[in-house]
């Protein structure tokens, strides 16, 4: 346990440097990226459950929205050059991410703006605005997934 904690602490210290180390393996980079995307997907799914009225945790929407906004800030970091399908096959990321960086950057910034806007809307708490805002946010997920993510079989 102690050793695990030490490793974690060391890892956190390195993380504070704010950059992926060149030595990070493609497999680990892909898995890390997928964890971040799962977190974004988890928050989005939770908000959708509230919006659909499946659960009455309306007060949680702002927390989830902040989570998405926070994750949107690290999305530019999670596509390093050595994490593409040529480096590790078991990824949903398409080569176009690295072949068309300007276009990809636009998709990232559209998502970041929508996430920031949605966090404000969620904070304000108006139900209809939240439902509409979720739709607008969701469009920016698709705006990246469509051109840059493999279709599911
Ligand atoms: C700038 C591009 C981009 C944006 C914006 C984006 N995604 Fe993704 N997402 C990807 C890519 C690329 C993958 C495939 C990652 C991989 O497999 O390496 C992915 C994968 C995922 C996955 C699957 C993770 C896994 O492997 O289990 C989920 C869930 C997901 N995204 C949800 C979302 C949601 C919800 C949003 C919007 C709120 C969103 N994403 C916005 C690019 C994006």
């Amino acid at each position: 346990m102690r050793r695990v904690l030490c490793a974690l602490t060391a890892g956190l210290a390195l993380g504070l440097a704010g950059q992926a180390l060149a030595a990070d393996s493609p497999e680990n980079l892909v898995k890390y990226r997928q964890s971040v995307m799962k977190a974004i997907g988890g928050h989005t799914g939770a908000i959708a459950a509230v919006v659909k009225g499946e659960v009455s945790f309306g007060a949680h929407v702002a927390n989830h929205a902040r989570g998405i906004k926070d994750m949107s800030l690290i999305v530019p970091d999670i596509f390093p050059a050595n994490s593409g399908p040529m480096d590790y096959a078991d990824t949903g990321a398409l080569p176009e991410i690295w072949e068309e960086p300007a276009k990809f950057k636009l998709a990232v910034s559209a998502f970041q703006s929508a996430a920031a806007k949605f966090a404000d809307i969620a904070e304000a708490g108006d139900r209809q605005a939240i439902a509409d805002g979720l739709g607008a946010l969701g469009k920016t997920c698709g705006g990246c997934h469509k051109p840059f993510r493999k279709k599911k079989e």
Side-chain angles (χ1 to χ4, degrees):
M1 186 63 198
R2 195 139 183 203
R3 194 174 281 175
V4 173
L5 275 179
C6 283
L8 274 176
T9 315
L12 283 175
L14 287 173
L16 288 178
Q19 267 192 345
L21 297 174
D24 290 353
S25 77
E27 176 177 1
N28 288 338
L29 287 170
V30 167
K31 286 184 172 159
Y32 179 78
R33 173 164 67 228
Q34 292 172 342
S35 297
V36 172
M37 279 294 156
K38 273 182 206 155
I40 294 172
H43 285 303
T44 307
I47 295 167
V50 174
V51 167
K52 286 191 233 157
E54 291 169 359
V55 292
S56 43
F57 291 121
H60 292 183
V61 170
N63 298 67
H64 292 298
R66 279 197 296 275
I68 295 170
K69 180 182 164 186
D70 240 19
M71 292 301 99
S72 80
L73 301 179
I74 64 172
V75 163
D77 299 342
I78 63 174
F79 296 91
N82 60 328
S83 69
M86 303 298 282
D87 307 288
Y88 183 70
D90 195 11
T91 172
L94 287 176
E96 281 77 3
I97 292 171
W98 296 274
E99 288 165 7
E100 300 172 48
K103 195 177 155 206
F104 182 68
K105 221 172 162 181
L106 282 180
V108 172
S109 39
F111 170 57
Q112 290 179 320
S113 325
K117 202 169 162 195
F118 185 71
D120 288 343
I121 292 170
E123 198 67 52
D126 179 80
R127 277 191 86 90
Q128 188 56 51
I130 286 170
D132 296 344
L134 184 62
L137 177 67
K139 279 202 183 116
T140 68
C141 314
C144 187
H145 287 170
K146 220 166 170 204
F148 296 117
R149 185 186 175 194
K150 272 182 213 156
K151 310 277 165 294
K152 285 193 201 111
E153 281 100 52

